[in-house]
């Protein structure tokens, strides 16, 4: 949104174009990690949760002296 506001405010100046493109790149960089977590990093957590679910259903017997 900020990039679009800069575009409208600066019309077609080179500085405005540079600022608009810079804001676009900053937006991508700022969102890279959340997108990476959403797309890729949750798979190992899902497998770990499944493993803990299996382990929680294993019968355990405690023997005393």
């Amino acid at each position: 949104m900020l990039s679009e506001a800069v575009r409208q405010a600066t019309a077609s100046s080179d500085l405005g174009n540079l600022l608009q493109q810079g804001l676009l790149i900053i937006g991508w960089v700022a969102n890279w990690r959340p997108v990476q977590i959403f797309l890729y990093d949750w798979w190992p957590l899902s497998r770990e949760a499944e493993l803990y679910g299996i382990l929680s259903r294993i019968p355990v017997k405690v023997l005393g002296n």
Side-chain angles (χ1 to χ4, degrees):
M1 285 183 1
L2 188 56
S3 176
E4 183 64 22
V6 167
R7 185 187 68 76
Q8 290 178 1
T10 59
S12 63
S13 74
D14 290 336
L15 181 60
N17 190 25
L18 180 69
L19 186 56
Q20 180 188 6
Q21 294 302 315
L23 289 170
L24 182 66
I25 292 170
I26 289 170
W28 274 105
V29 170
N31 284 304
W32 185 261
R33 181 66 180 146
V35 169
Q36 179 182 357
I37 291 169
F38 179 72
L39 293 178
Y40 304 111
D41 291 348
W42 67 274
W43 287 99
L45 297 176
S46 174
R47 284 191 292 257
E48 190 172 304
E50 183 181 347
L51 175 63
Y52 288 145
I54 292 169
L55 290 173
S56 71
R57 292 188 294 276
I58 294 176
V60 176
K61 184 186 281 188
V62 179
L63 301 174
N65 290 335

